[in-house]
Amino acid sequence: MNSDQLAVGTASASPKPEAAPTLRIRALMLGDRINASGLEIGTLVSSSPAAFRVHAGLAVVFRYGVVVLIGLLPSKEKVLIDGLKPRVVGELSPYEEEIAQAQLCKDETAEVIQPGGPICLAKFSDDRLLIVADALAKSTSLARDERRVAAVFDVIEPFARELAEHGRTPRRRKGILQLIGNALLVQQRVAGRVAIAEKPDVLWEKPELDRLYSRLEDEYELKERLDTLERKLTAVSETANALADIIDTQRSLRLEIAVVVLIVIEVAIGCFQILSGTH
């Protein structure tokens, strides 16, 4: 893509005419999935992920529910998002969102991501913008999953505390099963649909951009966050399974006691009838 085709702005922080051109990049997680099959919102740039040149910018649609909008005006973003809504499965409210700035730098050796600052790119080419979109989309998806797992921890903590302090477990087996289900859903999403650990397809054709992607991985701490999330998911699953096993054991014990009591009652009735018949 020619950089002239993208909407670029001048950095507002500096009125100097030599200020580097910038692009606004906005990643939005609209829902659990986006069906991009047959989608036509502009000139096709890439099929995996589905990327289109829209107006003066770029829209990248990821099947795991994230759309990344690059160089688009807010009014154009709203129109595009509204058009995608019918294709969204499990729509979120509110949307998960991350915003970044891309800035032109002098050459490829200067392509760095300053902490909290803009992403410096040698040029606003399709390949580079797709790599940035991939990293930002994964970061946005991770943020959503981290929030979900934190919510599950908030539910599990009172269960574990009650067990530790009073030796009692919650009676609601349904709630425990829901916790296990939530953990499994996040695991399936992270491992299968989002594939955080996998590199974008564009690197197969442009391996020279691997360094740029590695820098983006480091900036957004994708690997570290994924490892932390997987450890938490393991802890959630193990805790929920342990609580479910304890509840099952207690129910089995109560059932055995009930059977013993019924047997004792039956024996007592039989003895009473025998004794009554002898008199």
Side-chain angles (χ1 to χ4, degrees), residues 3-190:
S3 61
D4 294 336
Q5 293 175 301
L6 291 170
V8 296
T10 304
S12 59
S14 174
K16 297 180 181 180
E18 66 272 13
T22 61
L23 279 177
R24 179 174 178 265
I25 304 175
R26 185 185 182 200
L28 287 166
M29 186 171 184
L30 305 182
D32 292 331
R33 291 192 305 277
I34 298 178
N35 179 16
S37 178
L39 181 63
E40 295 181 4
I41 55 177
T43 304
L44 184 66
V45 172
S46 166
S47 57
S48 181
F52 303 87
R53 191 171 295 122
V54 182
H55 303 291
L58 197 69
V60 188
V61 181
F62 294 87
R63 61 190 176 91
Y64 50 83
V66 180
V67 58
V68 180
L69 307 172
I70 304 174
L72 288 173
L73 296 173
S75 59
K76 302 298 183 183
E77 290 180 349
K78 185 179 185 306
V79 172
L80 194 148
I81 291 169
D82 289 342
L84 286 175
K85 282 184 179 180
R87 293 175 170 268
V88 176
V89 177
E91 185 176 357
L92 301 179
S93 181
Y95 299 145
E96 193 72 39
E97 178 180 4
E98 287 198 34
I99 296 177
Q101 295 283 339
Q103 187 178 75
L104 283 180
C105 53
K106 295 180 179 179
D107 52 53
E108 293 186 15
T109 59
E111 287 186 321
V112 295
I113 295 90
Q114 303 174 6
I119 301 169
C120 294
L121 300 175
K123 53 185 176 180
F124 293 151
S125 64
D126 289 347
D127 298 331
R128 284 175 168 80
L129 293 176
L130 285 174
I131 288 173
V132 173
D134 183 271
L136 197 61
K138 288 176 178 175
S139 178
T140 305
S141 180
L142 271 174
R144 169 67 177 175
D145 291 332
E146 288 165 346
R147 204 182 314 279
R148 289 181 65 183
V149 172
V152 174
F153 263 99
D154 290 341
V155 176
I156 279 184
E157 185 179 1
F159 292 170
R161 183 181 297 111
E162 185 175 1
L163 181 62
E165 294 178 356
H166 307 290
R168 295 194 302 265
T169 58
R171 297 181 180 179
R172 295 186 300 107
R173 178 178 170 78
K174 181 179 179 181
I176 299 297
L177 292 176
Q178 287 175 332
L179 292 176
I180 297 174
N182 283 332
L184 290 175
L185 282 174
V186 176
Q187 280 180 326
Q188 183 271 337
R189 176 182 172 81
V190 172

Side-chain angles (χ1 to χ4, degrees), residues 254-268:
R254 287 196 294 268
L255 181 61
E256 290 174 1
I257 292 174
V259 170
V260 171
V261 170
L262 288 174
I263 292 173
V264 170
I265 293 174
E266 187 176 351
V267 170

Side-chain angles (χ1 to χ4, degrees), residues 187-259:
Q187 280 180 326
Q188 183 271 337
R189 176 182 172 81
V190 172
R193 204 177 303 160
V194 183
I196 301 293
E198 294 183 8
K199 293 185 177 182
D201 291 346
V202 67
L203 290 180
W204 289 99
E205 299 177 0
K206 300 285 184 177
E208 65 272 15
L209 297 179
D210 187 74
R211 179 180 297 178
L212 172 62
Y213 183 73
S214 296
R215 289 171 175 170
L216 288 165
E217 270 190 323
D218 292 340
E219 169 63 19
Y220 291 106
E221 299 179 334
L222 298 182
K223 291 181 179 179
E224 293 80 0
R225 291 166 66 189
L226 177 61
D227 290 342
T228 301
L229 184 62
E230 287 178 340
R231 287 196 298 270
K232 288 183 177 180
L233 286 170
T234 300
V236 169
S237 296
E238 291 178 350
T239 303
N241 283 324
L243 288 172
D245 289 342
I246 292 173
I247 292 174
D248 285 342
T249 301
Q250 291 178 337
R251 285 191 172 184
S252 297
L253 180 60
R254 287 196 294 268
L255 181 61
E256 290 174 1
I257 292 174
V259 170

